[in-house]
Amino acid sequence: MKKLINDADAVVTDALLGIEYAHGDLQRVDHEHKVILRKDPKPAGKVGLISGGGSGHEPMHGGFVGLGMLDAACAGAVFTSPTPDQMEFATKAVDGGAGVLHIVKNYTGDVLNFEMAAELAAADGIEVASVIVDDDVAVQDSTWTAGRRGVGTTVLLEKIVGAAAEEGQDLAAVLELAKKINGQGRSMGMALTSCTVPAAGKPTFDLADDEMEVGIGIHGEPGRERKKIAPAKDVAAMLVEPILADLDFTGSPAIVMVNGMGGTPLIELYVVYREVAELLEKSGVKVARNLVGNYITSLEMAGSSVTVLKADDDILRLWDAPVVTPGLRWGA
Amino acid sequence: MKKLINDADAVVTDALLGIEYAHGDLQRVDHEHKVILRKDPKPAGKVGLISGGGSGHEPMHGGFVGLGMLDAACAGAVFTSPTPDQMEFATKAVDGGAGVLHIVKNYTGDVLNFEMAAELAAADGIEVASVIVDDDVAVQDSTWTAGRRGVGTTVLLEKIVGAAAEEGQDLAAVLELAKKINGQGRSMGMALTSCTVPAAGKPTFDLADDEMEVGIGIHGEPGRERKKIAPAKDVAAMLVEPILADLDFTGSPAIVMVNGMGGTPLIELYVVYREVAELLEKSGVKVARNLVGNYITSLEMAGSSVTVLKADDDILRLWDAPVVTPGLRWGA
């Protein structure tokens, strides 16, 4: 296992120290609870937004804590849900009386733990709402999930809902928007290589030199099919076509993300984006905004995922609102 | 060779199309000359800043074209210098009568071609100045270079000098600042894995499963030594100590970059940054600003480099000035 780490058991602890050193102007880290928080107190009356999940997907979620996006993120062990304790701590830390939204990716452990945390917080008198993100069209159920997995739409949702909370929308409105974004976002990913969880010390799965996995999850869960490697144009079609088959994206502006899984260089992501953009154009989907880069990763896995979100003028306005986080930043 | 590309010979062409689709709000691409330009005309009287080099180092340089940074970047074939024709085209395109600065990384091909381009532009009546970046402390000469190689300081230089040009400093002042930044920046990198140039189809060099290359260049040029893999703390020391031995960074604020080579996930870069920050603190170097992420890469190479720049109040002011590019963005 070749990794720039000190010890397999210390990866998250060490990374959180690095994040604190690097982003101390924007964030603070509670090392006891492994929670990343906005440095400056959020405005009075603002709905609190928290998310979290297993580590190994950076910059998600900790990199999205800051003005206009999340108020806190809980870091689990690599590819392992954070605990209810972490989530309860984060919920209390960000509540200012207007309630807290939990943004939960649909994995069994995350869903159960966030449910328990919501109950604990409710017992403390905090109003908690939850949205479960389940945007991955690749598989209906998986080894990690009942129902669809939560993947790239999470990034777009945290940005858009973050802007809504920042402008003072109340918990009911923020929850409704979050559900709408999840309902209008679809994703699909693929991998050229596996990844190695530090504590496991060996690749999560094996792929031959001429094979790729299409429909992969963000933890190396099996996808739809294992295929021979193919040109970027064909790979893009394998990702875009199931997305377009699942929802009608015509007639609305779309926000599109071509995401790297962690080990794929940016030059290749631009090659993929070119193909994705042309496929969408041919299909009558109008791309209004885009992201190309590493936003929701799987350690050093090589590969890419595509997310398409059906937007509208209000969603685009919230997308364009200022965001100041380590992972996304514009307008301020 | 597992890559998300269509054809080894079309990688740069395809990526430039992707960049145009993705960043059409900020940039335009001249596909004939393979030059990325600021979309909006630069302010009248502003010194033009251009750079360029082989592709495969994204986001550098094309990702740094925009307000507060470069006016244009020339994209060579992968790991191959752009031609003098490309550079001449870019120089003419960005000249507005105040002259043009060429930012050149110290590789033999780049230096020769930029020299020729400067002569061609001078013959057309354009005032051209050049700065050669040679900040890599790893080796004195290399297979690609007479003298030190130009690496991470290039990113910081393009940001800081870009801000100076944006605020209207003249060519002489911009050149002086660029030379100062180069003189005060030092870098060193390492690789856990090789990378594969698409046209070559096989790894540039071989590394055993338990080996790393310390002092690597950004094209897989040999480094100082091949060693057994080591914990991040030791790797950080191998990069930081030669930098501190080469220049006294105490007594001034420093700008520090922990850069990923393309295939290393962000969680590992934060582990490295933690070690680098603590080493610098122990050495009496005060880190005032930092970057952690993929800024100057070597395709899918796994590894990291460290850059330390000795700054001052004026340099920090220019660092903090607004920048709006695909690769760096803040303050606007």
Side-chain angles (χ1 to χ4, degrees), chain A residues 2 4 23 192 268 270, chain B residues 2 4 23 192 211 268 270:
Chain A
K2 279 187 161 180
L4 288 170
H23 306 304
L192 288 173
E268 294 181 31
Y270 282 122
Chain B
K2 279 186 161 180
L4 288 170
H23 306 305
L192 288 173
E211 285 181 335
E268 295 182 30
Y270 282 122

Side-chain angles (χ1 to χ4, degrees), chain A residues 2 4-6 14 18 21-23 192 208-209 211 231-233 268 270 274-275 278 290 299 329-332, chain B residues 2 4-6 14 18 21-23 192 208-209 211 231-233 265 268 270 274-275 278 290 329-332:
Chain A
K2 279 187 161 180
L4 288 170
I5 62 174
N6 290 310
D14 287 354
Y21 284 123
H23 306 304
L192 288 173
D209 282 349
E211 285 181 336
K233 188 182 187 67
E268 294 181 31
Y270 282 122
R274 176 258 173 121
E275 301 299 342
E278 293 187 353
N290 69 84
L299 297 168
R329 185 165 185 161
W330 59 69
Chain B
K2 279 186 161 180
L4 288 170
I5 62 175
N6 290 311
D14 286 354
Y21 284 122
H23 306 305
L192 288 173
D209 282 349
E211 285 181 335
K233 187 182 188 68
E268 295 182 30
Y270 282 122
R274 176 258 173 121
E275 302 299 341
E278 293 187 353
N290 69 84
R329 185 164 185 161
W330 59 69

Side-chain angles (χ1 to χ4, degrees), chain A residues 79-288:
Chain A
F79 292 0
T80 303
S81 173
T83 63
D85 278 1
Q86 291 178 269
M87 299 162 181
E88 184 194 11
F89 169 83
T91 304
K92 286 183 178 175
V94 309
D95 179 52
V100 177
L101 179 71
H102 288 180
I103 300 171
V104 187
K105 299 191 304 303
N106 189 33
Y107 300 98
T108 306
D110 295 69
V111 171
L112 286 174
N113 288 351
F114 267 110
E115 275 176 8
M116 198 174 301
E119 286 170 20
L120 292 168
D124 292 323
I126 300 175
E127 192 181 2
V128 175
S130 296
V131 62
I132 294 178
V133 184
D134 58 350
D135 61 315
D136 187 343
V137 301
V139 292
Q140 181 51 38
D141 296 309
S142 81
T143 45
W144 291 55
T145 330
R148 289 179 166 182
R149 302 174 297 213
V151 288
T153 298
T154 316
V155 176
L156 310 187
L157 187 152
E158 290 177 359
K159 167 65 187 87
I160 294 159
V161 173
E166 199 77 39
E167 71 176 21
Q169 295 191 23
D170 67 16
L171 185 59
V174 165
L175 175 64
E176 186 184 4
L177 177 65
K179 289 182 173 175
K180 175 176 162 179
I181 299 296
N182 180 57
Q184 296 181 183
R186 297 291 188 276
S187 299
M188 180 136 159
M190 56 77 60
L192 288 173
T193 67
S194 183
C195 58
T196 297
V197 175
K202 58 178 187 180
T204 303
F205 60 98
D206 292 308
L207 266 179
D209 282 349
D210 62 347
E211 285 181 336
M212 60 182 178
E213 182 84 23
V214 179
I216 193 86
I218 57 172
H219 311 97
E221 310 96 310
R224 282 192 173 188
E225 50 183 340
R226 189 158 294 193
K227 304 189 71 147
K228 295 292 174 194
I229 54 174
K233 188 182 187 67
D234 300 339
V235 171
M238 290 174 210
L239 302 182
V240 169
E241 284 168 8
I243 288 172
L244 298 189
D246 205 75
L247 187 70
D248 179 6
F249 288 91
T250 57
S252 301
I255 302 176
V256 176
M257 177 169 72
V258 166
N259 171 64
M261 304 305 283
T264 284
L266 193 52
I267 192 171
E268 294 181 31
L269 297 181
Y270 282 122
V271 171
V272 173
Y273 187 71
R274 176 258 173 121
E275 301 299 342
V276 168
E278 293 187 353
L279 280 167
L280 291 173
E281 191 178 354
K282 276 180 206 157
S283 304
V285 180
K286 186 176 153 32
V287 181

Side-chain angles (χ1 to χ4, degrees), chain B residues 42-300:
Chain B
K42 64 187 177 66
K46 178 188 172 303
V47 169
L49 290 193
I50 76 168
S51 190
S55 293
H57 307 299
E58 291 69 24
M60 188 186 80
H61 298 274
F64 301 137
V65 171
L67 184 144
M69 220 162 160
L70 298 177
D71 296 293
C74 309
V78 172
F79 292 0
T80 302
S81 174
T83 63
D85 278 0
Q86 291 177 268
M87 298 163 180
E88 185 194 10
F89 170 82
T91 304
K92 286 184 179 174
V94 308
D95 179 52
V100 177
L101 179 71
H102 288 178
I103 300 171
V104 187
K105 300 193 303 305
N106 190 33
Y107 299 98
T108 306
D110 295 69
V111 171
L112 286 175
N113 288 352
F114 267 109
E115 275 176 8
M116 198 174 301
E119 286 170 19
L120 292 167
D124 292 324
I126 300 175
E127 193 181 2
V128 175
S130 297
V131 62
I132 294 179
V133 185
D134 58 351
D135 62 316
D136 187 344
V137 302
V139 293
Q140 180 51 37
D141 296 308
S142 81
T143 45
W144 291 55
T145 329
R148 289 178 166 181
R149 301 173 298 214
V151 288
T153 298
T154 316
V155 177
L156 309 186
L157 188 152
E158 291 176 358
K159 167 66 186 86
I160 294 160
V161 173
E166 198 76 40
E167 70 178 21
Q169 294 190 25
D170 68 15
L171 185 60
V174 164
L175 174 64
E176 186 184 5
L177 177 65
K179 288 182 172 174
K180 175 176 162 179
I181 300 295
N182 181 55
Q184 296 182 182
R186 298 289 187 278
S187 299
M188 179 134 160
M190 57 76 60
L192 288 173
T193 67
S194 182
C195 58
T196 297
V197 175
K202 57 178 188 180
T204 302
F205 60 99
D206 291 308
L207 267 178
D209 282 349
D210 62 347
E211 285 181 335
M212 60 182 178
E213 182 85 23
V214 179
I216 194 88
I218 57 172
H219 311 97
E221 310 95 310
R224 281 193 174 188
E225 48 184 344
R226 189 159 291 196
K227 303 188 72 147
K228 295 289 173 194
I229 54 174
K233 187 182 188 68
D234 301 339
V235 171
M238 289 174 209
L239 302 182
V240 169
E241 284 168 8
I243 289 172
L244 298 188
D246 205 75
L247 187 71
D248 180 6
F249 287 91
T250 58
S252 301
I255 302 176
V256 176
M257 176 170 71
V258 166
N259 171 64
M261 304 304 283
T264 285
L266 192 53
I267 192 169
E268 295 182 30
L269 297 181
Y270 282 122
V271 171
V272 173
Y273 186 72
R274 176 258 173 121
E275 302 299 341
V276 168
E278 293 187 353
L279 281 167
L280 291 173
E281 192 179 353
K282 277 180 205 157
S283 305
V285 180
K286 187 177 154 30
V287 181
R289 303 289 187 276
N290 69 84
L291 286 180
V292 181
N294 294 328
Y295 294 101
I296 167 172
T297 60
S298 300
L299 297 167
E300 74 282 7

